[in-house]
Short mmCIF file of all heavy atoms in Angstrom, two decimals:
data_model
loop_
_atom_site.label_atom_id
_atom_site.label_comp_id
_atom_site.label_asym_id
_atom_site.label_seq_id
_atom_site.Cartn_x
_atom_site.Cartn_y
_atom_site.Cartn_z
N MET J 161 0.88 -1.18 -0.04
CA MET J 161 0.02 -0.07 0.01
C MET J 161 0.89 1.16 0.03
O MET J 161 1.89 1.31 0.77
CB MET J 161 -0.89 -0.01 1.21
CG MET J 161 -2.00 1.01 1.28
SD MET J 161 -3.11 0.93 2.69
CE MET J 161 -3.71 -0.77 2.60
N ALA J 162 0.67 2.19 -0.79
CA ALA J 162 1.42 3.37 -0.95
C ALA J 162 1.25 4.31 0.24
O ALA J 162 0.28 4.32 0.95
CB ALA J 162 1.00 4.15 -2.29
N LEU J 163 2.30 5.10 0.50
CA LEU J 163 2.25 6.07 1.54
C LEU J 163 1.07 6.94 1.59
O LEU J 163 0.46 7.21 2.53
CB LEU J 163 3.57 6.87 1.49
CG LEU J 163 3.76 7.93 2.59
CD1 LEU J 163 3.69 7.32 3.98
CD2 LEU J 163 5.01 8.65 2.46
N GLU J 164 0.69 7.46 0.31
CA GLU J 164 -0.44 8.33 0.24
C GLU J 164 -1.76 7.65 0.77
O GLU J 164 -2.69 8.29 1.29
CB GLU J 164 -0.59 8.90 -1.22
CG GLU J 164 0.57 9.84 -1.58
CD GLU J 164 0.69 11.06 -0.60
OE1 GLU J 164 -0.36 11.67 -0.22
OE2 GLU J 164 1.82 11.33 -0.23
N SER J 165 -1.88 6.42 0.40
CA SER J 165 -3.03 5.62 0.83
C SER J 165 -3.12 5.58 2.32
O SER J 165 -4.25 5.66 2.91
CB SER J 165 -3.04 4.25 0.16
OG SER J 165 -4.13 3.50 0.59
N PHE J 166 -1.96 5.27 2.91
CA PHE J 166 -1.88 5.22 4.42
C PHE J 166 -2.34 6.55 4.97
O PHE J 166 -3.06 6.66 5.99
CB PHE J 166 -0.49 4.79 4.87
CG PHE J 166 -0.28 3.34 4.99
CD1 PHE J 166 0.51 2.72 4.13
CD2 PHE J 166 -0.89 2.57 5.94
CE1 PHE J 166 0.74 1.35 4.21
CE2 PHE J 166 -0.74 1.17 6.07
CZ PHE J 166 0.10 0.68 5.21
N LYS J 167 -1.83 7.63 4.47
CA LYS J 167 -2.12 9.01 4.86
C LYS J 167 -3.58 9.24 4.87
O LYS J 167 -4.16 9.85 5.76
CB LYS J 167 -1.32 9.97 4.15
CG LYS J 167 0.19 10.12 4.46
CD LYS J 167 0.88 11.19 3.72
CE LYS J 167 2.33 11.35 3.99
NZ LYS J 167 3.00 12.31 3.23
N ALA J 168 -4.21 8.85 3.72
CA ALA J 168 -5.66 9.06 3.58
C ALA J 168 -6.44 8.29 4.63
O ALA J 168 -7.37 8.76 5.17
CB ALA J 168 -6.00 8.66 2.13
N GLN J 169 -6.03 6.95 4.77
CA GLN J 169 -6.80 6.19 5.81
C GLN J 169 -6.59 6.72 7.23
O GLN J 169 -7.53 6.76 7.95
CB GLN J 169 -6.25 4.73 5.68
CG GLN J 169 -6.58 4.02 4.43
CD GLN J 169 -5.97 2.64 4.45
OE1 GLN J 169 -5.35 2.11 5.38
NE2 GLN J 169 -6.00 2.04 3.26
N ILE J 170 -5.40 7.22 7.53
CA ILE J 170 -5.11 7.69 8.82
C ILE J 170 -5.93 9.07 9.00
O ILE J 170 -6.50 9.35 10.01
CB ILE J 170 -3.69 7.91 9.10
CG1 ILE J 170 -2.99 6.58 9.23
CG2 ILE J 170 -3.36 8.87 10.30
CD1 ILE J 170 -1.48 6.64 9.29
N SER J 171 -6.00 9.89 7.91
CA SER J 171 -6.77 11.05 7.99
C SER J 171 -8.26 10.77 8.41
O SER J 171 -8.84 11.47 9.17
CB SER J 171 -6.74 11.80 6.76
OG SER J 171 -7.46 12.97 6.78
N LEU J 172 -8.77 9.76 7.72
CA LEU J 172 -10.19 9.39 7.93
C LEU J 172 -10.37 8.88 9.39
O LEU J 172 -11.35 9.18 10.02
CB LEU J 172 -10.63 8.23 6.99
CG LEU J 172 -10.80 8.69 5.51
CD1 LEU J 172 -11.10 7.49 4.70
CD2 LEU J 172 -11.93 9.67 5.43
N LEU J 173 -9.37 8.16 9.82
CA LEU J 173 -9.48 7.67 11.30
C LEU J 173 -9.46 8.80 12.21
O LEU J 173 -10.24 8.88 13.27
CB LEU J 173 -8.27 6.71 11.57
CG LEU J 173 -8.39 5.35 10.98
CD1 LEU J 173 -7.12 4.55 11.24
CD2 LEU J 173 -9.62 4.51 11.48
N LEU J 174 -8.57 9.78 12.02
CA LEU J 174 -8.55 11.03 12.85
C LEU J 174 -9.94 11.78 12.83
O LEU J 174 -10.33 12.25 13.91
CB LEU J 174 -7.31 11.91 12.52
CG LEU J 174 -6.02 11.33 12.69
CD1 LEU J 174 -4.84 12.24 12.19
CD2 LEU J 174 -5.73 11.01 14.22
N GLU J 175 -10.44 11.91 11.67
CA GLU J 175 -11.76 12.62 11.55
C GLU J 175 -12.85 11.81 12.36
O GLU J 175 -13.71 12.31 13.09
CB GLU J 175 -12.14 12.62 10.12
CG GLU J 175 -11.47 13.75 9.36
CD GLU J 175 -11.98 13.85 7.91
OE1 GLU J 175 -13.24 13.62 7.65
OE2 GLU J 175 -11.18 14.12 7.01
N GLU J 176 -12.70 10.46 12.33
CA GLU J 176 -13.75 9.65 13.00
C GLU J 176 -13.59 9.81 14.51
O GLU J 176 -14.52 9.81 15.26
CB GLU J 176 -13.49 8.23 12.64
CG GLU J 176 -14.65 7.23 13.08
CD GLU J 176 -14.46 5.85 12.53
OE1 GLU J 176 -13.90 5.72 11.51
OE2 GLU J 176 -14.89 4.97 13.25
N MET J 177 -12.35 10.01 14.97
CA MET J 177 -12.08 10.19 16.39
C MET J 177 -12.75 11.44 16.85
O MET J 177 -13.29 11.55 17.95
CB MET J 177 -10.57 10.23 16.70
CG MET J 177 -9.89 8.91 16.70
SD MET J 177 -8.12 9.02 16.93
CE MET J 177 -8.01 9.42 18.66
N VAL J 178 -12.71 12.50 16.02
CA VAL J 178 -13.33 13.79 16.37
C VAL J 178 -14.82 13.69 16.29
O VAL J 178 -15.57 14.11 17.18
CB VAL J 178 -12.77 14.92 15.47
CG1 VAL J 178 -13.56 16.18 15.65
CG2 VAL J 178 -11.29 15.14 15.66
N ASN J 179 -15.37 13.08 15.28
CA ASN J 179 -16.81 13.03 15.02
C ASN J 179 -17.51 12.06 15.84
O ASN J 179 -18.75 12.20 16.03
CB ASN J 179 -16.98 12.87 13.47
CG ASN J 179 -16.52 14.03 12.70
OD1 ASN J 179 -16.46 15.14 13.10
ND2 ASN J 179 -16.17 13.75 11.49
N GLN J 180 -16.84 10.98 16.22
CA GLN J 180 -17.51 9.83 17.04
C GLN J 180 -16.71 9.60 18.26
O GLN J 180 -16.05 8.47 18.28
CB GLN J 180 -17.72 8.72 16.16
CG GLN J 180 -18.61 8.93 14.98
CD GLN J 180 -18.75 7.67 13.98
OE1 GLN J 180 -18.05 6.77 14.17
NE2 GLN J 180 -19.69 7.83 13.21
N PRO J 181 -16.62 10.47 19.19
CA PRO J 181 -15.74 10.18 20.33
C PRO J 181 -16.08 9.04 21.15
O PRO J 181 -15.25 8.47 21.78
CB PRO J 181 -15.94 11.58 21.20
CG PRO J 181 -17.14 12.22 20.66
CD PRO J 181 -17.30 11.71 19.27
N GLU J 182 -17.37 8.54 21.11
CA GLU J 182 -17.78 7.34 21.79
C GLU J 182 -17.09 6.09 21.18
O GLU J 182 -16.99 5.10 21.93
CB GLU J 182 -19.32 7.13 21.69
CG GLU J 182 -19.85 6.88 20.36
CD GLU J 182 -20.11 8.06 19.51
OE1 GLU J 182 -19.76 9.24 19.99
OE2 GLU J 182 -20.57 7.87 18.38
N ASP J 183 -16.49 6.14 20.06
CA ASP J 183 -15.73 5.06 19.46
C ASP J 183 -14.27 5.31 19.46
O ASP J 183 -13.55 4.62 18.71
CB ASP J 183 -16.29 4.78 17.99
CG ASP J 183 -17.75 4.51 17.77
OD1 ASP J 183 -18.20 3.84 18.79
OD2 ASP J 183 -18.27 4.71 16.82
N ALA J 184 -13.83 6.16 20.31
CA ALA J 184 -12.44 6.68 20.24
C ALA J 184 -11.49 5.47 20.48
O ALA J 184 -10.45 5.33 19.80
CB ALA J 184 -12.24 7.73 21.21
N HIS J 185 -11.83 4.60 21.35
CA HIS J 185 -10.84 3.44 21.73
C HIS J 185 -10.70 2.63 20.49
O HIS J 185 -9.52 2.24 20.13
CB HIS J 185 -11.36 2.67 22.86
CG HIS J 185 -10.49 1.54 23.20
ND1 HIS J 185 -9.26 1.75 23.80
CD2 HIS J 185 -10.58 0.20 23.09
CE1 HIS J 185 -8.67 0.55 23.93
NE2 HIS J 185 -9.44 -0.40 23.51
N GLU J 186 -11.79 2.20 19.78
CA GLU J 186 -11.66 1.42 18.56
C GLU J 186 -10.88 2.10 17.52
O GLU J 186 -10.02 1.55 16.81
CB GLU J 186 -13.06 1.05 18.10
CG GLU J 186 -13.03 0.25 16.80
CD GLU J 186 -12.40 -1.09 16.94
OE1 GLU J 186 -12.43 -1.67 18.08
OE2 GLU J 186 -11.78 -1.58 15.89
N VAL J 187 -11.14 3.38 17.30
CA VAL J 187 -10.36 4.17 16.30
C VAL J 187 -8.88 4.25 16.63
O VAL J 187 -8.03 4.10 15.75
CB VAL J 187 -11.05 5.57 16.10
CG1 VAL J 187 -10.20 6.38 15.18
CG2 VAL J 187 -12.45 5.43 15.58
N GLN J 188 -8.58 4.41 17.93
CA GLN J 188 -7.15 4.46 18.38
C GLN J 188 -6.45 3.17 18.01
O GLN J 188 -5.35 3.15 17.51
CB GLN J 188 -7.08 4.67 19.81
CG GLN J 188 -7.51 6.05 20.29
CD GLN J 188 -7.55 6.26 21.76
OE1 GLN J 188 -7.13 5.36 22.53
NE2 GLN J 188 -8.09 7.45 22.23
N GLU J 189 -7.12 2.05 18.27
CA GLU J 189 -6.53 0.76 17.77
C GLU J 189 -6.37 0.62 16.44
O GLU J 189 -5.32 0.11 16.01
CB GLU J 189 -7.42 -0.36 18.42
CG GLU J 189 -7.42 -0.54 19.94
CD GLU J 189 -5.98 -0.73 20.44
OE1 GLU J 189 -5.26 -1.50 19.91
OE2 GLU J 189 -5.70 -0.08 21.45
N GLN J 190 -7.29 1.08 15.64
CA GLN J 190 -7.08 0.99 14.23
C GLN J 190 -5.88 1.98 13.70
O GLN J 190 -5.18 1.61 12.84
CB GLN J 190 -8.38 1.55 13.48
CG GLN J 190 -9.49 0.57 13.64
CD GLN J 190 -10.84 1.13 13.09
OE1 GLN J 190 -10.84 2.08 12.32
NE2 GLN J 190 -11.97 0.45 13.36
N LEU J 191 -5.80 3.03 14.33
CA LEU J 191 -4.64 4.00 14.12
C LEU J 191 -3.30 3.36 14.39
O LEU J 191 -2.40 3.36 13.67
CB LEU J 191 -4.80 5.29 14.90
CG LEU J 191 -3.67 6.30 14.74
CD1 LEU J 191 -3.49 6.76 13.28
CD2 LEU J 191 -3.94 7.48 15.62
N ARG J 192 -3.31 2.73 15.56
CA ARG J 192 -2.03 1.93 15.89
C ARG J 192 -1.73 0.90 14.91
O ARG J 192 -0.56 0.72 14.56
CB ARG J 192 -2.17 1.35 17.30
CG ARG J 192 -2.10 2.32 18.43
CD ARG J 192 -2.17 1.64 19.77
NE ARG J 192 -2.16 2.64 20.82
CZ ARG J 192 -3.32 3.09 21.43
NH1 ARG J 192 -4.48 2.60 21.09
NH2 ARG J 192 -3.15 3.93 22.43
N GLU J 193 -2.71 0.12 14.46
CA GLU J 193 -2.49 -0.82 13.51
C GLU J 193 -1.95 -0.27 12.16
O GLU J 193 -1.03 -0.82 11.51
CB GLU J 193 -3.79 -1.58 13.17
CG GLU J 193 -3.69 -2.75 12.13
CD GLU J 193 -2.65 -3.80 12.57
OE1 GLU J 193 -2.55 -4.05 13.74
OE2 GLU J 193 -2.07 -4.51 11.65
N LYS J 194 -2.46 0.91 11.73
CA LYS J 194 -2.00 1.47 10.53
C LYS J 194 -0.49 1.86 10.64
O LYS J 194 0.34 1.63 9.79
CB LYS J 194 -2.83 2.77 10.12
CG LYS J 194 -4.12 2.41 9.63
CD LYS J 194 -4.21 1.61 8.45
CE LYS J 194 -5.62 1.18 8.02
NZ LYS J 194 -5.60 0.04 7.13
N LEU J 195 -0.15 2.40 11.77
CA LEU J 195 1.14 2.78 11.99
C LEU J 195 2.10 1.56 12.10
O LEU J 195 3.29 1.59 11.55
CB LEU J 195 1.43 3.64 13.33
CG LEU J 195 0.58 4.95 13.28
CD1 LEU J 195 0.64 5.64 14.62
CD2 LEU J 195 1.27 5.92 12.21
N ARG J 196 1.66 0.48 12.70
CA ARG J 196 2.42 -0.73 12.69
C ARG J 196 2.68 -1.32 11.17
O ARG J 196 3.78 -1.74 10.92
CB ARG J 196 1.65 -1.88 13.51
CG ARG J 196 1.96 -1.70 15.07
CD ARG J 196 1.46 -2.94 15.73
NE ARG J 196 0.06 -3.18 15.60
CZ ARG J 196 -0.84 -2.66 16.52
NH1 ARG J 196 -0.50 -1.88 17.50
NH2 ARG J 196 -2.12 -2.92 16.33
N GLU J 197 1.62 -1.22 10.45
CA GLU J 197 1.75 -1.65 9.03
C GLU J 197 2.83 -0.73 8.26
O GLU J 197 3.54 -1.32 7.48
CB GLU J 197 0.43 -1.48 8.33
CG GLU J 197 -0.65 -2.53 8.73
CD GLU J 197 -2.02 -2.39 8.05
OE1 GLU J 197 -2.03 -1.87 6.88
OE2 GLU J 197 -3.01 -2.59 8.65
N MET J 198 2.74 0.53 8.55
CA MET J 198 3.68 1.37 7.92
C MET J 198 5.06 1.10 8.29
O MET J 198 6.02 1.06 7.58
CB MET J 198 3.32 2.86 8.24
CG MET J 198 2.12 3.43 7.56
SD MET J 198 1.73 5.13 8.05
CE MET J 198 2.98 5.97 7.05
N ARG J 199 5.28 0.79 9.60
CA ARG J 199 6.60 0.41 10.06
C ARG J 199 7.11 -0.84 9.44
O ARG J 199 8.24 -0.94 8.99
CB ARG J 199 6.65 0.21 11.57
CG ARG J 199 6.61 1.56 12.39
CD ARG J 199 6.72 1.32 13.89
NE ARG J 199 6.74 2.50 14.59
CZ ARG J 199 5.65 3.01 15.21
NH1 ARG J 199 4.53 2.32 15.29
NH2 ARG J 199 5.67 4.12 15.90
N ALA J 200 6.21 -1.84 9.30
CA ALA J 200 6.56 -3.15 8.76
C ALA J 200 6.94 -3.00 7.36
O ALA J 200 7.78 -3.72 6.85
CB ALA J 200 5.41 -4.11 8.96
N MET J 201 6.30 -2.00 6.66
CA MET J 201 6.76 -1.78 5.19
C MET J 201 7.86 -0.91 5.07
O MET J 201 8.29 -0.58 3.90
CB MET J 201 5.50 -1.29 4.48
CG MET J 201 4.32 -2.27 4.41
SD MET J 201 2.93 -1.48 3.59
CE MET J 201 3.47 -1.69 1.85
N GLY J 202 8.37 -0.36 6.13
CA GLY J 202 9.60 0.49 6.02
C GLY J 202 9.28 1.89 5.53
O GLY J 202 10.18 2.61 5.14
N LEU J 203 7.99 2.31 5.68
CA LEU J 203 7.61 3.60 5.22
C LEU J 203 7.85 4.64 6.30
O LEU J 203 7.88 4.32 7.48
CB LEU J 203 6.08 3.68 4.94
CG LEU J 203 5.59 2.70 3.82
CD1 LEU J 203 4.04 2.74 3.76
CD2 LEU J 203 6.21 3.28 2.51
N PRO J 204 8.15 5.87 5.90
CA PRO J 204 8.50 6.93 6.96
C PRO J 204 7.14 7.25 7.68
O PRO J 204 6.07 7.33 7.10
CB PRO J 204 8.90 8.12 6.10
CG PRO J 204 8.27 7.86 4.77
CD PRO J 204 8.18 6.33 4.54
N LEU J 205 7.39 7.39 8.99
CA LEU J 205 6.16 7.82 9.79
C LEU J 205 6.25 9.25 10.04
O LEU J 205 7.22 9.86 10.42
CB LEU J 205 6.13 7.06 11.17
CG LEU J 205 6.00 5.56 11.07
CD1 LEU J 205 6.17 5.02 12.48
CD2 LEU J 205 4.68 5.16 10.49
N PRO J 206 5.08 9.96 9.85
CA PRO J 206 5.04 11.43 10.11
C PRO J 206 5.30 11.68 11.60
O PRO J 206 4.67 10.99 12.42
CB PRO J 206 3.68 11.87 9.74
CG PRO J 206 3.11 10.78 8.67
CD PRO J 206 3.91 9.50 9.17
N ALA J 207 6.14 12.67 11.98
CA ALA J 207 6.47 12.89 13.23
C ALA J 207 5.17 13.19 14.17
O ALA J 207 5.07 12.79 15.28
CB ALA J 207 7.45 14.07 13.39
N ASP J 208 4.24 13.95 13.62
CA ASP J 208 3.11 14.24 14.33
C ASP J 208 2.26 13.04 14.72
O ASP J 208 1.71 12.94 15.78
CB ASP J 208 2.12 15.28 13.67
CG ASP J 208 1.74 14.88 12.26
OD1 ASP J 208 2.32 13.92 11.60
OD2 ASP J 208 0.76 15.56 11.80
N LEU J 209 2.24 12.04 13.80
CA LEU J 209 1.51 10.81 14.17
C LEU J 209 2.22 9.95 15.16
O LEU J 209 1.68 9.27 15.93
CB LEU J 209 1.25 9.93 12.89
CG LEU J 209 0.31 10.59 11.92
CD1 LEU J 209 0.13 9.73 10.64
CD2 LEU J 209 -1.07 10.90 12.60
N VAL J 210 3.61 10.00 15.10
CA VAL J 210 4.40 9.27 16.09
C VAL J 210 4.15 9.91 17.57
O VAL J 210 3.96 9.24 18.50
CB VAL J 210 5.85 9.33 15.81
CG1 VAL J 210 6.77 8.77 16.90
CG2 VAL J 210 6.13 8.49 14.51
N GLU J 211 4.00 11.25 17.53
CA GLU J 211 3.75 11.91 18.83
C GLU J 211 2.32 11.61 19.24
O GLU J 211 2.09 11.34 20.42
CB GLU J 211 3.94 13.45 18.67
CG GLU J 211 3.70 14.21 19.89
CD GLU J 211 4.57 13.87 21.07
OE1 GLU J 211 5.76 13.56 20.81
OE2 GLU J 211 4.01 13.97 22.19
N LEU J 212 1.38 11.59 18.39
CA LEU J 212 0.00 11.19 18.72
C LEU J 212 -0.02 9.80 19.28
O LEU J 212 -0.70 9.49 20.29
CB LEU J 212 -0.88 11.30 17.56
CG LEU J 212 -2.34 10.87 17.76
CD1 LEU J 212 -3.04 11.66 18.86
CD2 LEU J 212 -3.15 10.91 16.40
N GLU J 213 0.73 8.86 18.61
CA GLU J 213 0.77 7.47 19.14
C GLU J 213 1.26 7.45 20.59
O GLU J 213 0.72 6.74 21.46
CB GLU J 213 1.61 6.67 18.20
CG GLU J 213 1.68 5.17 18.60
CD GLU J 213 2.59 4.35 17.67
OE1 GLU J 213 3.62 4.89 17.24
OE2 GLU J 213 2.20 3.24 17.50
N LYS J 214 2.27 8.23 20.88
CA LYS J 214 2.86 8.23 22.26
C LYS J 214 1.82 8.76 23.19
O LYS J 214 1.71 8.23 24.30
CB LYS J 214 4.13 9.08 22.27
CG LYS J 214 5.35 8.40 21.54
CD LYS J 214 6.45 9.39 21.60
CE LYS J 214 7.62 8.82 20.75
NZ LYS J 214 8.82 9.78 20.68
N ARG J 215 1.26 9.78 22.85
CA ARG J 215 0.15 10.45 23.62
C ARG J 215 -1.04 9.44 23.98
O ARG J 215 -1.51 9.27 25.11
CB ARG J 215 -0.45 11.69 23.09
CG ARG J 215 0.58 12.81 23.31
CD ARG J 215 0.16 14.20 22.73
NE ARG J 215 -1.29 14.40 22.70
CZ ARG J 215 -1.89 15.00 21.62
NH1 ARG J 215 -1.11 15.58 20.73
NH2 ARG J 215 -3.18 15.24 21.61
N LEU J 216 -1.45 8.65 22.92
CA LEU J 216 -2.55 7.71 23.02
C LEU J 216 -2.04 6.63 23.90
O LEU J 216 -2.83 6.13 24.86
CB LEU J 216 -2.93 7.14 21.66
CG LEU J 216 -3.58 8.07 20.72
CD1 LEU J 216 -3.83 7.36 19.38
CD2 LEU J 216 -4.91 8.58 21.34
N ASP J 217 -0.79 6.17 23.79
CA ASP J 217 -0.28 5.11 24.71
C ASP J 217 -0.19 5.60 26.13
O ASP J 217 -0.56 4.77 27.06
CB ASP J 217 1.13 4.71 24.26
CG ASP J 217 1.12 3.84 22.96
OD1 ASP J 217 0.02 3.37 22.56
OD2 ASP J 217 2.15 3.69 22.36
N SER J 218 0.22 6.81 26.42
CA SER J 218 0.21 7.25 27.81
C SER J 218 -1.15 7.52 28.33
O SER J 218 -1.37 7.25 29.46
CB SER J 218 1.01 8.62 27.85
OG SER J 218 0.40 9.69 27.23
N ASP J 219 -2.09 7.93 27.48
CA ASP J 219 -3.40 8.07 27.99
C ASP J 219 -3.97 6.56 28.31
O ASP J 219 -4.70 6.42 29.40
CB ASP J 219 -4.35 8.62 26.91
CG ASP J 219 -4.11 10.13 26.69
OD1 ASP J 219 -3.44 10.76 27.52
OD2 ASP J 219 -4.67 10.68 25.76
N LEU J 220 -3.69 5.62 27.53
CA LEU J 220 -4.14 4.21 27.76
C LEU J 220 -3.48 3.75 29.04
O LEU J 220 -4.18 3.15 29.98
CB LEU J 220 -3.72 3.36 26.65
CG LEU J 220 -4.19 1.86 26.73
CD1 LEU J 220 -5.70 1.75 26.90
CD2 LEU J 220 -3.69 1.11 25.58
N ASP J 221 -2.21 3.93 29.26
CA ASP J 221 -1.61 3.56 30.51
C ASP J 221 -2.18 4.25 31.73
O ASP J 221 -2.36 3.57 32.78
CB ASP J 221 -0.02 3.91 30.40
CG ASP J 221 0.74 3.08 29.42
OD1 ASP J 221 0.17 1.97 29.09
OD2 ASP J 221 1.84 3.49 29.00
N ALA J 222 -2.50 5.46 31.66
CA ALA J 222 -3.12 6.26 32.74
C ALA J 222 -4.53 5.72 33.06
O ALA J 222 -4.87 5.57 34.12
CB ALA J 222 -3.14 7.71 32.41
N ALA J 223 -5.21 5.38 32.03
CA ALA J 223 -6.61 4.84 32.22
C ALA J 223 -6.57 3.39 32.89
O ALA J 223 -7.46 3.12 33.62
CB ALA J 223 -7.28 4.71 30.93
N GLU J 224 -5.56 2.66 32.61
CA GLU J 224 -5.37 1.25 33.17
C GLU J 224 -4.90 1.31 34.60
O GLU J 224 -5.06 0.42 35.26
CB GLU J 224 -4.53 0.41 32.28
CG GLU J 224 -5.10 0.13 30.95
CD GLU J 224 -4.18 -0.64 30.02
OE1 GLU J 224 -2.99 -0.86 30.39
OE2 GLU J 224 -4.66 -1.11 29.00
N ALA J 225 -4.30 2.41 34.99
CA ALA J 225 -3.71 2.52 36.31
C ALA J 225 -4.66 2.79 37.44
O ALA J 225 -5.78 3.03 37.21
CB ALA J 225 -2.67 3.61 36.35
#
């Protein structure tokens, strides 16, 4: 899958997080999966998405504590 396709899919996921906050956890998991796929393919990860992933992880850790 091309980088532009991943960017489009991630953009849609981010919009979904904003528009449907009740589904935020599911969307976060989908976002993490897309980033894992990009890493597996050796594609460059946008710095802002890496930062978002870190924030989501820290939010998840805080919620579980």
Side-chain angles (χ1 to χ4, degrees):
M161 189 177 305
L163 180 59
E164 292 304 316
S165 178
F166 273 110
K167 287 181 179 179
Q169 291 175 10
I170 289 171
S171 178
L172 290 173
L173 287 172
L174 294 174
E175 284 182 37
E176 192 173 331
M177 285 176 73
V178 170
N179 295 330
Q180 297 178 347
E182 65 277 3
D183 297 333
H185 180 71
E186 177 63 30
V187 175
Q188 290 173 9
E189 289 304 314
Q190 291 175 16
L191 176 61
R192 286 185 184 94
E193 179 61 30
K194 291 296 174 200
L195 294 175
R196 282 191 295 270
E197 288 177 33
M198 290 177 74
R199 284 186 181 101
M201 295 179 73
L203 295 172
L205 297 175
D208 57 343
L209 292 180
V210 172
E211 181 60 32
L212 175 60
E213 181 181 37
K214 289 177 186 176
R215 288 185 16 222
L216 293 174
D217 288 344
S218 67
D219 289 350
L220 181 62
D221 291 341
E224 290 178 350

